[in-house]
Amino acid sequence: MQGRHQAIPAVSPALSCVYSESKVTYPLLGRFTSWPGRRSPAARLVQRVGLQRTNYDAGVLSPSSTIASDLMPRLTLLLAMREHGHLSAAAAAVGVPQSTATRWIAELSKTAGVALTHRLGRQIELTRAGVALAEAIGSAHTALSVGVTRAHEAADPGRGQVVFGFLRTMGQSRAPELLRSYRAAHPRVRLALVQAAHEELIEQLSNGTIDVALTAMRSIDSNVAATELFREPFVLVVPADHRLARREAVRLHDCRDETFVGLSSSIALRRRVDELFGAAGIRPRYGFETEEVETVRGLAAAGVGVAVLPSRHGGPLAGSAEVPIVPRHYRQIGLLVSSLHPLEPTVESFREWAVRHEWAHVPKRLGSSSSRRDRST
């Protein structure tokens, strides 16, 4: 490799380096090593870790990268000015004398090529250019904080945080059972819970608000990766004394004259139920609509109407019966993650653990998904 150099990319330009067979050099640090009277933090870093310094190589690093590198040791001060409003408070927050802070700001302005502060009365505040740069610093600081978190979690995936979202219908038993056993095995992992409708969970996966979601699997959902965990068969929920309650199975055509209770039309599960009715050539007559699945079950148990829903984990609600619908259809429940964002080590560990969790499967009396008359949804 003698005489050959290769650039090594890094998250921060200040950490970009060039290596050869004999040495590793950090060109961007070179601009910090000639302060009058003392060495810069970057210079002390070079001395502490024993790095050899070379001059800036325009063939490897751009001028913009060099400017960004020059700004690095002072950026915390600029960020503090944005947060505290003026230089005196920012200097106190950072823990440096105001004279030092003033010199740092002057050097920052000179390096950036624009005035970053101006005097307003007795205080020194950010200019519009200073605010713009400080906002960019905030984003970089957040990214660096995430990077540090990832580093710690990579070293010990048994710690960290997982933001776990799940359907409201999963909150009665499925999600609590999973979380109870996971917490027992991983007591140091922090768990934040979000209970929401399917569409909200998909949106929050996409924007990074939640890490993992226990929800329905649908082909129309984009930018998600899903692993199927179990299936819930659709059933007809009727009062225990209803004429269809003792049937082994029922066709939707058999209950076409019934009054139905169901979810609001804006809810994904309601739209799936309406698809089942449409496939059967039925136009259901809804007497009541509500936002909660358990409310629908309660109304059906009370005899207000009948309902088509996924079977209830743990058995029918007291006073009701669940009759399998044929042809059989299932709601697939899976563990979803975003395909837009890489998973933190702790989140990936949680996902793998949840997939291995012993989920209760479809009761045998309802048949298996391999039956010709079974249809997954």
Side-chain angles (χ1 to χ4, degrees), residues 54-238:
T54 63
N55 293 325
Y56 168 71
D57 181 355
V60 177
L61 301 166
S62 69
S64 296
S65 295
T66 304
I67 292 173
S69 178
D70 281 352
L71 296 174
M72 290 297 289
R74 319 289 201 289
L75 295 183
T76 302
L77 177 63
L78 204 64
L79 186 59
M81 285 193 67
R82 188 190 69 166
E83 295 174 352
H84 296 277
H86 55 88
L87 185 61
S88 298
V94 174
V96 298
Q98 184 163 344
S99 59
T100 300
T102 300
R103 185 175 69 252
W104 282 10
I105 289 296
E107 292 171 350
L108 279 173
S109 297
K110 182 178 179 180
T111 301
V114 294
L116 300 177
T117 60
H118 63 160
R119 181 173 292 278
L120 187 61
R122 302 176 67 179
Q123 294 181 339
I124 298 177
E125 299 181 354
L126 292 175
T127 62
R128 292 178 61 182
V131 171
L133 182 57
E135 289 176 350
I137 295 166
S139 300
H141 185 272
T142 300
L144 183 58
S145 298
V146 171
V148 172
T149 299
R150 288 179 179 174
H152 282 277
E153 292 182 358
D156 183 7
R159 305 183 66 173
Q161 174 173 295
V162 177
V163 183
F164 177 50
F166 52 93
L167 288 173
R168 294 187 178 93
T169 54
M170 300 291 111
Q172 186 175 27
S173 57
R174 297 282 197 183
E177 290 170 1
L178 170 67
L179 295 171
R180 178 184 59 191
S181 54
Y182 180 80
R183 173 55 61 86
H186 303 83
R188 294 187 299 169
V189 175
R190 300 184 306 277
L191 292 167
L193 308 181
V194 175
Q195 196 171 5
H198 177 83
E199 289 84 354
E200 295 176 69
L201 294 174
I202 296 299
E203 180 181 355
Q204 292 186 51
L205 279 175
S206 296
N207 62 31
T209 304
I210 63 175
D211 299 313
V212 188
L214 178 64
T215 185
M217 295 172 59
R218 305 188 309 176
S219 60
I220 63 173
D221 295 323
S222 59
N223 300 322
V224 296
T227 303
E228 182 178 332
L229 301 177
F230 55 90
R231 298 182 180 188
E232 298 175 323
F234 281 94
V235 295
L236 182 70
V237 183
V238 297

Side-chain angles (χ1 to χ4, degrees), residues 249-269:
V250 64
R251 295 179 179 274
L252 289 179
H253 186 75
D254 298 335
C255 51
R256 62 189 180 280
D257 296 327
E258 299 281 347
T259 297
F260 286 86
V261 291
L263 295 167
S264 300
S265 58
S266 60
I267 297 176
L269 180 55

Side-chain angles (χ1 to χ4, degrees), residues 4 58 121 131 173 261 307 349 372 375:
R4 296 176 60 191
V131 171
S173 57
V261 291
S349 176
R372 292 183 180 180
R375 301 177 185 177

